[in-house]
């Protein structure tokens, strides 16, 4: 399987793909310090790119990627940021871009991770927001998951959204 990761940070998804035997072809990250760390961790040469400005011509062709993974910035959605009063509209720009890329690439599987409250935000968006309604059929899973039930040594809840078995 061929995979890319969006908002790759220092490479958590990349490491998971490599450990699972998935061929990781490209990572996309906008924050220079995260991208440098990612490149050092994986001996890669990814350039920083503003994912919000990413054109479809900048990514692989539709149908050539089996798996898209990623973690768009969560700071606008997190209750830890200004008591949960972040700029949600700004954060939605990244969620929209992620969905737009998934829609274009048509991967067999995709997964997006974010803070817990994003699950409910996405549910509301695909039902009520005209911009997001077109993405409703993209995913078969959108739930808050407690990672302590899967071996993480702390109670850590995250939203997992995607299309996978």
């Amino acid at each position: 399987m061929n995979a890319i990761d969006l908002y790759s940070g220092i490479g958590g998804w990349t490491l998971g793909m490599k450990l699972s035997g998935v061929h990781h072809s490209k990572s996309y990250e906008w924050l220079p310090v995260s991208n440098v760390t990612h490149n050092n961790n994986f001996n890669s040469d990814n350039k920083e790119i503003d994912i919000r400005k990413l054109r479809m011509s900048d990514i692989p062709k539709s149908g050539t990627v089996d798996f898209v993974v990623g973690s768009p910035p969560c700071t606008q959605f997190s209750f830890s940021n200004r008591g949960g009063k972040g700029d949600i509209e700004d954060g939605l720009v990244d969620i929209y871009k992620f969905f737009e890329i998934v829609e274009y690439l048509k991967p067999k599987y995709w997964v997006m991770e974010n803070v817990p409250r994003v699950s409910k935000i996405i549910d509301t968006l695909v039902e009520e927001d005209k911009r997001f309604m077109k993405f409703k059929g993209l995913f078969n899973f959108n739930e808050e998951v407690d990672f302590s039930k899967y071996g993480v040594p702390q109670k850590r809840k995250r939203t997992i959204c995607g299309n996978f078995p």
Side-chain angles (χ1 to χ4, degrees):
M1 291 179 59
N2 187 32
I4 65 168
D5 70 1
L6 303 169
Y7 306 94
S8 60
I10 64 170
W13 283 109
T14 303
L15 178 61
M17 289 185 285
K18 289 184 179 289
L19 292 173
S20 299
V22 174
H23 176 260
H24 173 259
S25 62
K26 185 79 172 155
S27 291
Y28 300 86
E29 175 57 49
W30 64 274
L31 189 62
V33 68
S34 294
N35 194 57
V36 167
T37 303
H38 185 283
N39 285 337
N40 288 333
N41 285 340
F42 299 100
N43 196 28
S44 55
D45 189 27
N46 297 309
K47 306 293 183 231
E48 291 88 33
I49 186 163
D50 183 346
I51 296 169
R52 292 177 170 197
K53 296 177 183 171
L54 197 63
R55 298 178 315 245
M56 297 308 138
S57 61
D58 297 328
I59 61 176
K61 292 185 191 307
S62 177
T64 65
V65 174
D66 299 301
F67 213 134
V68 175
V69 296
S71 300
C74 63
T75 53
Q76 301 298 2
F77 304 108
S78 176
F79 284 115
S80 297
N81 182 32
R82 292 176 285 227
K85 293 181 175 44
D87 184 349
I88 290 178
E89 277 302 314
D90 183 62
L92 291 178
V93 173
D94 294 302
I95 302 288
Y96 186 93
K97 189 64 174 188
F98 190 98
F99 287 168
E100 182 181 53
I101 291 170
V102 167
E103 181 182 56
Y104 168 77
L105 287 175
K106 298 179 181 16
K108 291 178 185 170
Y109 312 109
W110 67 271
V111 180
M112 182 187 76
E113 173 272 339
N114 215 293
V115 295
R117 81 188 281 202
V118 170
S119 178
K120 289 181 180 74
I121 290 170
I122 289 172
D123 282 343
T124 301
L125 288 170
V126 298
E127 292 296 331
E128 299 175 7
D129 188 315
K130 291 182 182 184
R131 298 171 298 170
F132 283 85
M133 287 178 177
K134 68 180 181 176
F135 300 129
K136 186 175 183 176
L138 280 183
F139 49 93
N140 65 2
F141 191 89
N142 179 35
E143 294 183 20
E144 182 181 303
V145 176
D146 181 353
F147 278 55
S148 68
K149 295 180 180 178
Y150 300 94
V152 173
Q154 71 182 68
K155 189 169 185 142
R156 181 155 175 87
K157 293 182 178 179
R158 306 302 285 171
T159 286
I160 300 295
C161 179
N163 186 14
F164 49 89

